[in-house]
Amino acid sequence: MRLITSRGSNTRRHPRFIGGASLIEVLVSIVIASVGLLALAGVNAASMRYTKMSQYRATASQLASDMGERMRANKGQAAVAAVVGPPAVPAVVASGFFAGDYDFTTDFAGQATKATLPTGSDLCNTAAITCTPAQIAALDLAQWRILVRDQLPAGSVFLMRQAGSVAMDLWVVWRDPAVASTDESPALTTECPDSLNRGDDPEPASIRCSFFRINL
């Protein structure tokens, strides 16, 4: 008869059966955790960049609305040809918006320096002086360009009347410091007007534009 004996509680186990993590397992865990943290950091950085971009576009929308109100206040009148009559009607010269006083088509490089107020423009704010629509438009443009530059990095503008309608095509332009030429979402080539000459800039992908059509 075979005797069956039980192992005592103090029997030593072979080292390979001892529980715990090896050094390799710990290193693998660290690598996996590091990859996850790096991915999370990248997502967070992208989120912050796109949040800032949204803030820039919201600011551009507010600035465009401001210029729209300025143009409506100084809309002027369209040119009217004289009528011999009877009854005779004298010719009317275009003024304000209709005279193109708010058109501004200087390219991006030409707006590298901050705008300055026209000489004597402060007189337009006095009750004793009546400025012409052209003078008011020049003051409006200068004040507005200063606002754009103060509120957006390298803030610039581009304004051009819409042919065949009483409307202004307006672009608010800025340089996004978070966008490089190799960014995954560079500015579209159609985002800015061709006459802005965005392609001549050393970092064209960093130039952003918001387009607005202001109906008067």
Side-chain angles (χ1 to χ4, degrees), residues 15-73:
R16 68 177 180 176
F17 296 111
I18 297 177
S22 66
L23 179 59
I24 294 179
E25 291 172 329
V26 172
L27 291 176
V28 170
S29 299
I30 292 175
V31 170
I32 294 175
S34 299
V35 171
L37 290 174
L38 287 174
L40 182 61
V43 170
N44 186 50
S47 176
M48 293 178 62
R49 185 165 69 250
Y50 292 130
T51 298
K52 194 64 177 178
M53 187 186 303
S54 297
Q55 292 175 351
Y56 287 148
R57 293 195 180 278
T59 300
S61 179
Q62 294 173 355
L63 290 167
S65 178
D66 176 61
M67 174 49 75
E69 294 303 318
R70 292 173 185 265
M71 289 188 292
R72 292 186 183 98

Side-chain angles (χ1 to χ4, degrees), residues 106-115 145 149 154-156:
T106 303
D107 63 8
F108 187 77
Q111 301 182 59
T113 57
K114 190 174 182 178
R145 289 180 59 207
R149 178 54 61 97
S156 304

Side-chain angles (χ1 to χ4, degrees), residues 119-145:
T119 303
S121 60
D122 55 326
L123 298 177
C124 291
N125 296 323
T126 62
I129 301 296
T130 301
C131 289
T132 65
Q135 290 173 321
I136 295 174
L139 178 59
D140 283 342
L141 270 174
Q143 290 177 336
W144 187 63
R145 289 180 59 207

